[in-house]
Amino acid sequence: MSGPPTDDLALDRAFMALADPVRRAMVARLSRADATVNELAEPFSITKQAVSKHIHVLEQAGLVTR
């Protein structure tokens, strides 16, 4: 048996990306206006590297673009 159709995989990636509260907050911030990585990192006590990883997950899910 093959895996789920491509649409299902895309939906799975989106839900997985949005399962994290930091990524949800980033998407909410970006829904209001574009932001730099520094602006996205500002409200969180995490490293810039962690912010970049979160952004990468959102990009892979097709939820944001740089």
Side-chain angles (χ1 to χ4, degrees):
M1 180 175 193
S2 65
T6 304
D7 289 346
D8 287 349
L9 290 175
L11 192 57
D12 287 347
R13 282 189 193 113
F15 278 116
M16 184 208 64
L18 294 172
D20 185 280
V22 171
R23 290 192 289 264
R24 283 195 308 273
M26 289 178 174
V27 170
R29 168 63 179 84
L30 291 168
S31 72
R32 294 188 298 275
D34 289 346
T36 65
V37 172
N38 287 336
E39 290 169 338
L40 289 174
E42 192 175 298
F44 306 106
S45 57
I46 59 177
T47 65
K48 300 278 189 302
Q49 183 180 9
V51 171
S52 289
K53 287 182 180 182
H54 282 299
I55 293 169
H56 180 74
V57 171
L58 292 170
E59 286 177 319
Q60 292 298 309
L63 298 172
V64 301
T65 57
R66 286 190 196 223

